[in-house]
Amino acid sequence: MSIIKKLSFLLVLLTSITACSNEDDIEDILVGRTWYMNGATINGMKLNSEIKNFYTDAGENAYFISFSAGTFTGVLSEGVHFSGTWSANGKKQTISMTVKKQPATQSTFDKQIYKIISSVTSYNSGADFLRLQEDKQNFILLGSSRSKIYN
């Protein structure tokens, strides 16, 4: 019986040492990173026709968000800048972004993207993507590079 107890103890010890955390490393996902918009769904509809504009020469300087510790800056259509603060919970995968001043734009698309950013409640991420979600019908998909990823 003594050997069985020792093996059980070792098994429990080994399991506790190698157990993974279910909490995202927010610093690794956001801080010091720039995320480029590669997709959007608004009111449940994928906006593929608008997204093709991201891959033009004008799109190279637009539609991205850069994160620092607690702050972010971004560009919607070329020249339409926005900035603010953010906070996130890696365990619950929630995020809040507060824009300092609503960007001045006439573009309906920019206004829709701004609405999602300013109302975002959750995120989902992987090595090369970040999905910022207002709700199930409204979200933007960002990538670590500008690539044609459709949501």
Side-chain angles (χ1 to χ4, degrees):
M1 257 336 224
S2 177
I3 291 176
I4 293 174
K5 285 183 181 180
K6 287 180 183 179
L7 287 175
S8 296
F9 175 75
L10 287 174
L11 183 60
V12 169
L13 182 62
L14 183 60
T15 303
S16 67
I17 291 172
T18 61
C20 295
S21 170
N22 289 335
E23 187 169 342
D24 288 344
D25 184 350
I26 298 298
E27 299 287 318
D28 190 46
I29 295 169
L30 298 175
V31 177
R33 306 243 350 232
T34 297
W35 292 97
Y36 302 92
M37 188 179 303
N38 290 321
T41 295
I42 298 177
N43 297 324
M45 297 181 60
K46 294 179 183 179
L47 300 179
N48 293 340
S49 62
E50 290 85 349
I51 291 166
K52 71 181 179 185
N53 296 326
F54 300 164
Y55 308 106
T56 65
D57 289 340
E60 287 297 315
N61 297 316
Y63 299 105
F64 63 86
I65 303 173
S66 297
F67 290 89
S68 298
T71 64
F72 66 89
T73 59
V75 178
L76 295 172
S77 56
E78 197 167 5
V80 178
H81 296 265
F82 61 95
S83 63
T85 59
W86 65 270
S87 62
N89 181 316
K91 190 168 188 123
K92 294 179 181 179
Q93 291 189 316
T94 58
I95 186 168
S96 172
M97 297 173 72
T98 304
V99 180
K100 288 181 186 175
K101 179 181 173 187
Q102 183 173 350
T105 181
Q106 297 302 315
S107 163
T108 300
F109 181 69
D110 282 1
K111 289 176 182 178
Q112 291 170 322
I113 297 304
Y114 167 77
K115 180 183 175 294
I116 293 171
I117 291 169
S118 62
S119 302
V120 67
T121 59
S122 63
Y123 74 90
N124 188 343
S125 69
D128 295 328
F129 79 92
L130 175 64
R131 179 175 160 157
L132 296 177
Q133 189 164 314
E134 177 184 11
D135 54 38
K136 291 181 180 182
Q137 299 289 313
N138 299 288
F139 57 87
I140 56 177
L141 183 64
L142 302 120
S144 59
S145 64
R146 206 173 285 286
S147 62
K148 295 183 180 184
I149 301 172
Y150 296 111
N151 47 357

